[in-house]
Amino acid sequence: MIQTSTNLKHIKNFISEDQLLVYKNKIKETFTTIYEKRGAGNDFLGWTTLPSEMTKEFIKDIKDQAELLRKKSQVFVVVGIGGSYLGARAVIEAISHQFGSLLNRADDTQIVYAGHNMSEEYMVELLELLDQKDYSMAVISKSGTTTEPAVAFRILKNHLENKYGKEEARTRIVAITDKAKGALKTLANEEGYKTYIVPDNVGGRYSVLTPVGLLPIAVAGIDIEELVNGALAMETYCKENQNCDNVVAQYAMARQALYHDGKTNEILVSYEPRLHYIAEWWKQLYGESEGKEGKGIFPASDTFTTDLHSMGQYIQEGLRNLFETIISVEKPTKEIRIPLADNDLDQLNYIAGKRLSEVNRTAETATILAHVDGGVPNIIIQIPEISASTIGELIYFFEMGCALSGYMLEVNPFDQPGVEAYKKNMFALLGKKGFEERAEDLRKRIE
Ligand code: PA5
């Protein structure tokens, strides 16, 4: 049984049954393309069976390792970029206390991130924090050669070894990378770090349910079994419902129908700030998977009602190439009511006694109707609450949705050739061996 549903009621004014039919007719065949590994990039479909193939021993090993690290760490640094950090951050921020870092609870380990930018100020300030805290870290890179995490790890390794000595530092580092290739694998072997493997058949942005995501999530104290079980429910559901009534298929079909009708920009919206990084993870997943060959929906995100006061005007009245996908959460797990005020000076007594979530939900309904009236179709994805289990479902939902949508768009949803362009320029400009000719060309253009 899954807990996620999809509602397409608010695209009906924009998309006819015939337009949707084009994609309805493709769904069965697209599921077959995925499950029978017939499409482009089919050696990267390992994510489809990660939940069902996960053993109890594997989960136990991750949990035990996480417990070891938690015991000696007030702070745990996740060093990685793109698919090597966004999934973990998405789950951790969705589930953890939103002010956890300020609560100073004795047995909490706070998760911080590095290697996802090149900012000197960020790194220096991180080291200022780590000077004062007991910490350990995971360095995560599937290729083992990505510059940002490699540079960050070199600096952090140096700091950790100076703080604890080489022997103790070694016990505080976990490497998560390819089983054989890459500089990180060589380094981890040489130094004797505890190492986890990123499976060959799982691409970076689909790797949250491998050690890439699961170790940091477990270190954050989140129940990874519940997360995986949520994903498993969605895996089983998709396998058993390879048709156009499938909630994931509905999302993929609606996106494609809207895109081909000129709605080229999708905004993923939620009314819960803790889902901010779910949207960041989703943007990478969909952006890298579909944005190629001059095609693809541009993925953006907003948190409402916050962003109604910044992006609301554009969404209501700007260029009409937008649609929104709302992650709608039925009920919050915490409760607070708006108090009655004797004098009602702020004139809010008309909502006194209501739960804040009732007002938030009313804002959601009001906004959906206003945006639809303004020419912005809305897809609604509903979950009953935010928990490890529903987030697990959502992860699998969006991964399968992306594969279906990407194949219907006729692109390879599992490669990212365009990411190399900036890297080659950067290597050339930094003077890396083998990039001399490119460096000369680039210098002429910037002089
Ligand atoms: O989805 C992908 O494969 C990429 O976005 C990678 O996750 C990202 O570039 C980081 O790569 P790596 O894990 O090799 O350091």
Side-chain angles (χ1 to χ4, degrees):
M1 265 287 276
I2 54 158
Q3 305 173 75
T4 312
S5 60
T6 305
N7 182 338
L8 300 184
K9 190 163 99 194
H10 297 295
I11 69 162
K12 294 247 151 64
N13 290 351
F14 304 90
I15 296 296
S16 69
E17 265 309 311
D18 280 354
Q19 282 173 294
L20 212 51
L21 196 63
V22 176
Y23 302 96
K24 277 188 178 172
N25 287 338
K26 290 186 179 182
I27 276 297
K28 213 170 160 32
E29 171 199 327
T30 312
F31 269 120
T32 308
T33 305
I34 294 170
Y35 287 122
E36 294 188 4
K37 298 189 168 48
R38 292 187 193 165
N42 57 35
D43 40 354
F44 286 100
L45 285 162
W47 57 271
T48 55
T49 50
L50 280 173
S52 58
E53 286 176 4
M54 209 166 292
T55 62
K56 290 227 171 319
E57 294 70 38
F58 171 79
I59 298 243
K60 184 176 178 320
D61 182 45
I62 295 271
K63 276 178 154 179
D64 290 350
Q65 183 61 40
E67 204 40 46
L68 277 178
L69 296 165
R70 275 172 70 78
K71 275 200 185 116
K72 51 170 143 193
S73 315
Q74 295 166 289
V75 170
F76 185 69
V77 191
V78 176
V79 186
I81 196 165
S84 286
Y85 102 103
L86 279 167
R89 190 165 193 173
V91 177
I92 291 166
E93 300 211 358
I95 308 290
S96 308
H97 194 291
Q98 291 172 89
F99 301 97
S101 62
L102 300 173
L103 283 176
N104 292 326
R105 291 184 296 210
D107 57 347
D108 264 7
T109 299
Q110 295 307 322
I111 313 296
V112 299
Y113 302 88
H116 60 306
N117 61 53
M118 288 282 206
S119 162
E120 188 162 3
E121 294 191 10
Y122 184 94
M123 181 53 84
V124 171
E125 290 177 15
L126 175 60
L127 293 178
E128 282 168 10
L129 170 78
L130 298 177
D131 278 340
Q132 296 175 27
K133 303 282 181 189
D134 273 317
Y135 78 101
S136 53
M137 63 178 149
V139 51
I140 310 175
S141 174
K142 175 165 167 148
S143 63
T145 56
T146 308
T147 310
E148 290 91 336
V151 170
F153 182 61
R154 184 183 276 213
I155 295 170
L156 288 163
K157 175 177 181 286
N158 198 43
H159 183 271
L160 195 74
E161 289 177 353
N162 287 337
K163 184 169 173 133
Y164 294 104
K166 220 168 158 45
E167 274 312 300
E168 173 62 18
R170 186 173 293 135
T171 69
R172 290 173 177 267
I173 296 173
V174 175
I176 305 176
T177 188
D178 185 83
K179 67 173 184 308
K181 305 191 296 277
L184 178 57
K185 180 63 188 166
T186 314
L187 179 66
N189 283 351
E190 199 64 33
E191 299 280 5
Y193 299 147
K194 167 83 179 168
T195 303
Y196 287 100
I197 305 300
V198 190
D200 282 345
N201 59 358
V202 181
R205 56 190 176 275
Y206 293 82
S207 68
V208 53
L209 299 174
T210 73
V212 170
L214 294 177
L215 182 74
I217 293 167
V219 175
I222 293 164
D223 185 345
I224 56 169
E225 236 163 332
E226 194 188 326
L227 181 80
V228 172
N229 282 338
L232 176 61
M234 191 56 84
E235 178 191 329
T236 311
Y237 167 83
C238 283
K239 190 98 207 187
E240 289 172 357
N241 295 277
Q242 297 176 41
N243 55 54
C244 55
D245 293 327
N246 178 306
V247 295
V248 184
Q250 297 244 312
Y251 173 55
M253 284 164 5
R255 293 179 84 248
Q256 285 306 310
L258 288 163
Y259 171 70
H260 287 97
D261 197 52
K263 304 291 185 192
T264 55
N265 293 31
E266 177 177 13
I267 308 172
L268 189 72
V269 171
S270 114
Y271 285 73
E272 290 296 339
R274 62 179 351 124
L275 296 182
H276 174 78
Y277 266 90
I278 291 282
E280 294 302 311
W281 166 80
W282 169 90
K283 281 196 277 197
Q284 188 213 357
L285 181 62
Y286 281 73
E288 278 192 1
S289 299
E290 291 189 319
K292 50 197 67 157
E293 299 170 30
K295 299 192 265 192
I297 297 169
F298 182 82
S301 66
D302 278 325
T303 301
F304 290 166
T305 60
T306 313
D307 296 330
L308 286 174
H309 297 262
S310 55
M311 298 307 292
Q313 171 61 37
Y314 191 101
I315 297 170
Q316 192 67 46
E317 296 181 351
L319 210 58
R320 300 297 74 187
N321 60 352
L322 308 175
F323 68 97
E324 291 172 298
T325 296
I326 320 295
I327 302 180
S328 178
V329 183
E330 247 171 280
K331 54 176 193 300
T333 51
K334 294 174 182 171
E335 178 174 340
I336 187 161
R337 288 181 190 273
I338 297 163
L340 188 74
D342 287 345
N343 46 25
D344 196 23
L345 288 178
D346 54 10
Q347 298 174 12
L348 287 176
N349 272 356
Y350 76 103
I351 48 171
K354 281 193 194 296
R355 285 180 68 174
L356 199 47
S357 56
E358 285 177 73
V359 182
N360 201 20
R361 196 135 184 90
T362 308
E364 181 180 316
T365 309
T367 307
I368 290 171
L369 295 177
H371 288 182
V372 168
D373 287 347
V376 179
N378 272 229
I379 299 170
I380 300 169
I381 297 169
Q382 183 140 340
I383 53 172
E385 61 180 22
I386 299 172
S387 66
S389 149
T390 57
I391 294 296
E393 274 194 24
L394 270 188
I395 287 171
Y396 199 94
F397 176 105
F398 282 128
E399 288 178 345
M400 183 55 85
C402 189
L404 287 169
S405 191
Y407 277 148
M408 287 194 284
L409 187 64
E410 297 179 359
V411 296
N412 176 354
F414 307 112
D415 67 358
Q416 56 285 329
V419 181
E420 294 310 308
Y422 97 92
K423 289 188 195 168
K424 286 183 191 148
N425 285 353
M426 182 176 75
F427 293 149
L429 293 172
L430 285 171
K432 193 169 177 175
K433 233 174 142 193
F435 290 85
E436 293 78 4
E437 212 175 299
R438 196 180 188 98
E440 217 181 297
D441 265 15
L442 292 173
R443 284 212 179 87
K444 277 189 207 139
R445 286 171 57 195
I446 52 181
E447 262 155 23

